[in-house]
Amino acid sequence: MHSIFNYWFISFEKFSNSTFTESKLGEIPKDWRIGILKDLLSLKKNPIKPSETNGLPYLPIDIIPMNSLGISELKSDEEANSSLISFDKNDILIGAMRVYFHRVVISPCSGITRSTCFVLKPKKEYYLSYLLLLCNLDQTIQYAQNTSKGTTMPYAVWDNGLGDMDIIIPPEDILNEFHNLVFPIIEKIRDNYNEINKLQKLRDTLLPKLMSGEIDVSKINCDLIITSHYLSVRFPVIQHLFIKSYNLTSRLIDTAINI
């Protein structure tokens, strides 16, 4: 996916037959323009009180993974205490505190985080793929770091900071075409959280029963062949954990323990 972005928007190999023109960011294809990040992306500031979270999942900055576009966990809103802001599905979240940790993700659902994060919304839906990958570039994070405020605990800023970073803005049809190409991949990265969450619930259900003996596996034929079709019908959540044939007893226990 990053290679596709580079092919289109860094090296411009996708448009090698186009006419190029000089700009402040170097040569760009004709009819493209230079703008700033704010032209395509809006900073959302929707404060929410702890008493109003109503069970929304909580994403503190410290569990946003580094150098990964998708999240792997969310916390209960009971752990959310102050300086809270809300986000929606498909918002771009950037860890603004110590931005050099490179925390850039797409949100898989509505939720809450703290003001230590930027919550960003593309001004048009089909801008999302371009902007997510643009924000995830090392040079974007470096720009945010260079314009941060503070020394001991530097914070990236939006106004007079990251939001004013010069960017290349392709024509609308190019942005739309790129989004249609790349967004299905982004969706899979985004929705990995849901699969992880299902597997964790499966672990929490199975493991105590296996360890206590409530589920008796002693009489199960360990040579049982479990086909992909059988799993897809009976156990769709764990279908992809098995390939051809497995020892049912050991695999269930190993999976439950290691998830």
Side-chain angles (χ1 to χ4, degrees):
M1 186 167 58
H2 296 287
S3 297
I4 300 173
F5 184 88
N6 290 336
Y7 182 75
W8 283 52
F9 304 119
I10 304 297
S11 68
F12 302 115
E13 290 182 63
K14 164 77 173 175
F15 310 99
S16 58
N17 293 327
S18 302
T19 301
F20 283 73
T21 183
E22 284 291 339
S23 77
K24 64 194 297 186
L25 296 179
E27 286 193 340
I28 60 174
K30 187 179 179 181
D31 298 328
W32 295 33
R33 64 187 178 92
I34 301 300
I36 59 176
L37 200 53
K38 285 179 182 176
D39 293 338
L40 304 185
L41 201 55
S42 299
L43 177 67
K44 295 171 61 176
K45 294 181 179 179
N46 299 325
I48 184 169
K49 297 178 181 179
S51 59
E52 299 172 347
T53 55
N54 296 320
L56 284 171
Y58 174 45
L59 183 67
I61 189 172
D62 58 293
I63 66 170
I64 299 177
M66 294 180 281
N67 297 290
S68 174
L69 294 175
I71 68 169
S72 58
E73 64 175 311
L74 289 164
K75 293 185 177 293
S76 166
D77 64 330
E78 295 178 358
E79 299 185 37
N81 298 315
S82 61
S83 304
L84 303 178
I85 53 177
S86 64
F87 58 81
D88 297 308
K89 185 176 181 178
N90 289 339
D91 283 345
I92 298 171
L93 308 178
I94 300 178
M97 182 178 69
R98 292 178 173 171
V99 70
Y100 51 79
F101 282 133
H102 201 134
R103 305 180 193 268
V104 181
V105 295
I106 181 171
S107 57
C109 58
S110 296
I112 51 176
T113 185
R114 299 191 66 206
S115 56
T116 50
C117 293
F118 289 146
V119 177
L120 305 170
K121 183 177 181 63
K123 293 187 176 181
K124 293 184 180 179
E125 183 178 337
Y126 58 85
Y127 291 173
L128 174 59
S129 297
Y130 175 71
L131 291 171
L132 177 64
L133 295 176
L134 177 66
C135 287
N136 195 49
L137 291 176
D138 289 340
Q139 52 262 47
T140 301
I141 297 300
Q142 186 60 55
Y143 186 95
Q145 172 62 20
N146 292 343
T147 54
S148 291
K149 305 298 182 183
T151 53
T152 304
M153 192 74 71
Y155 273 79
V157 294
W158 184 250
D159 295 319
N160 299 313
L162 183 58
D164 294 294
M165 181 180 74
D166 290 326
I167 64 169
I168 296 170
I169 301 180
E172 298 285 312
D173 61 323
I174 299 296
L175 290 169
N176 191 40
E177 182 184 356
F178 182 74
H179 182 69
N180 290 335
L181 175 66
V182 169
F183 189 63
I185 305 173
I186 292 174
E187 281 185 305
K188 290 183 179 180
I189 294 172
R190 179 198 67 194
D191 294 341
N192 274 344
Y193 165 74
N194 296 321
E195 292 303 312
I196 292 171
N197 190 42
K198 289 177 184 177
L199 290 170
Q200 288 173 335
K201 289 180 179 178
L202 178 65
R203 172 202 63 193
D204 294 342
T205 300
L206 284 178
L207 185 57
K209 294 182 179 181
L210 287 166
M211 301 304 288
S212 67
E214 182 179 346
I215 296 178
D216 183 8
V217 295
S218 62
K219 297 181 181 180
I220 292 178
N221 181 0
C222 293
D223 295 325
L224 178 64
I225 302 300
I226 303 180
T227 67
S228 178
H229 173 72
Y230 177 82
L231 282 171
S232 68
V233 174
R234 298 294 301 277
F235 304 105
V237 174
I238 58 172
Q239 177 189 5
H240 66 286
L241 297 178
F242 297 82
I243 301 178
K244 292 183 179 179
S245 64
Y246 287 87
N247 179 313
L248 180 60
T249 305
S250 64
R251 283 292 170 175
L252 281 175
I253 293 175
D254 289 346
T255 301
I257 291 174
N258 293 323
I259 291 174

